[in-house]
């Protein structure tokens, strides 16, 4: 898992399970957002020592779609294993952000050269305008071969930048619906 990353690991695991069952892999996985940020987001082996239980919890966390789902996972973890460590909180936060990002058309989020890049097939200029109002001078739109919106990191962490950016973009998305 460490060599391919959490998202790719879950995708490969799901595909392998579906193949063993004789099913087709879910197309929904294709629409999910890959998030690659320098934060701790894993289940420590000393928190859940059983590999099958850890894998089960990874799948449970990957299925998080709302704050209510996240709270259910936190309650279950607290009841079964004790208070979750920060690395699990990072994992849950990434799951929530992936859901929002996928909904608004962001298929990849990564940090590079002091900026967080939000890759979209067709970046909407409305997102850029709204982001510029909130984060003056920190937003750049690149319409290169792989189009993205870049947000320069400021005083906050990359995770806080992603949370703030997706909140603004989601508000614009919600207004359009």
């Amino acid at each position: 898992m460490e060599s391919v990353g959490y998202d790719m690991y879950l995708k490969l695991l799901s595909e392998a399970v579906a193949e063993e069952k004789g099913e087709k892999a879910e197309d929904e996985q294709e629409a999910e957002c890959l998030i690659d940020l320098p934060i701790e987001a894993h289940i420590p082996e000393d928190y859940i020592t059983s590999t099958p239980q850890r894998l089960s919890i990874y799948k449970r966390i990957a299925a998080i779609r709302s704050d209510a789902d996240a709270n259910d996972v936190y309650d279950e973890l607290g009841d079964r294993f004790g208070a979750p460590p920060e690395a699990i909180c990072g994992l849950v936060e990434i799951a929530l952000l992936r859901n929002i990002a996928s909904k608004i058309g962001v298929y990849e989020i990564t940090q590079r050269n002091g900026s967080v890049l939000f890759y979209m097939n067709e970046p909407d200029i409305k997102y850029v305008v709204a982001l510029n109002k909130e984060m003056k001078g920190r937003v750049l739109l690149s319409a290169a071969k792989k189009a993205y919106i870049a947000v320069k990191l400021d005083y906050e962490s990359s995770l806080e930048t992603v949370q703030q950016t997706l909140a603004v973009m989601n508000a614009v998305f919600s207004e359009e619906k």
Side-chain angles (χ1 to χ4, degrees), residues 145-160:
K145 184 177 180 182
K146 192 174 172 183
Y148 62 86
I149 296 171
V151 178
K152 291 180 187 172
L153 292 172
D154 200 8
Y155 61 89
E156 72 270 344
S157 70
S158 54
L159 184 60
E160 291 169 328

Side-chain angles (χ1 to χ4, degrees), residues 1-62:
M1 182 175 74
E2 290 177 14
S3 63
V4 296
Y6 172 69
D7 290 324
M8 180 59 75
Y9 175 77
L10 285 179
K11 181 178 181 191
L12 293 172
L13 180 64
S14 294
E15 288 173 356
V17 169
E19 186 177 316
E20 283 296 314
K21 290 181 176 179
E23 302 170 351
K24 287 189 172 185
E26 294 180 21
D27 291 337
E28 178 185 312
Q29 292 175 353
E30 301 301 304
E32 289 186 0
C33 178
L34 171 68
I35 298 180
D36 184 15
L37 297 173
I39 66 166
E40 278 200 63
H42 66 280
I43 301 173
E45 287 185 29
D46 61 348
Y47 180 67
I48 301 176
T49 56
S50 165
T51 301
Q53 284 181 325
R54 257 195 333 276
L55 291 175
S56 173
I57 297 298
Y58 271 120
K59 288 183 85 170
R60 183 106 155 73
I61 291 172

